[in-house]
Amino acid sequence: EKKKPLNNKHMTRAEWKEAIDTMIEKDRLDPMPSKESLSILMNWLVTNHGPAVTSPDGATTDPGKN
């Protein structure tokens, strides 16, 4: 089965920004997305792979599976 590295990643907006900035600096994004595309990507990552949230009853909610 193909490995899906984002499945277990849950990072904050700042952490995703750092990861994307690193990819840009190392020319790992080809072709280079527009600023608008990067903004859409960032919003998608935070919505679907943001930090897991623990509710008062102790249940953990995965933002990508709500």
Side-chain angles (χ1 to χ4, degrees), residues 1-7:
E1 183 176 317
K2 185 176 180 181
K3 186 175 181 181
K4 297 180 181 179
L6 286 182
N7 283 356

Side-chain angles (χ1 to χ4, degrees), residues 7-28:
N7 283 356
N8 296 315
K9 293 282 186 190
H10 295 284
M11 300 192 299
T12 65
R13 179 173 292 275
E15 291 168 325
W16 280 119
K17 181 177 183 331
E18 183 178 335
I20 290 172
D21 288 347
T22 298
M23 286 184 247
I24 290 170
E25 288 171 14
K26 293 182 177 186
D27 283 332
R28 299 261 167 90

Side-chain angles (χ1 to χ4, degrees), residues 10 46-55 59-66:
H10 295 284
V46 171
T47 298
N48 293 286
H49 295 282
V53 178
T54 302
S55 65
T60 300
T61 302
D62 181 340
K65 296 189 173 150
N66 291 345

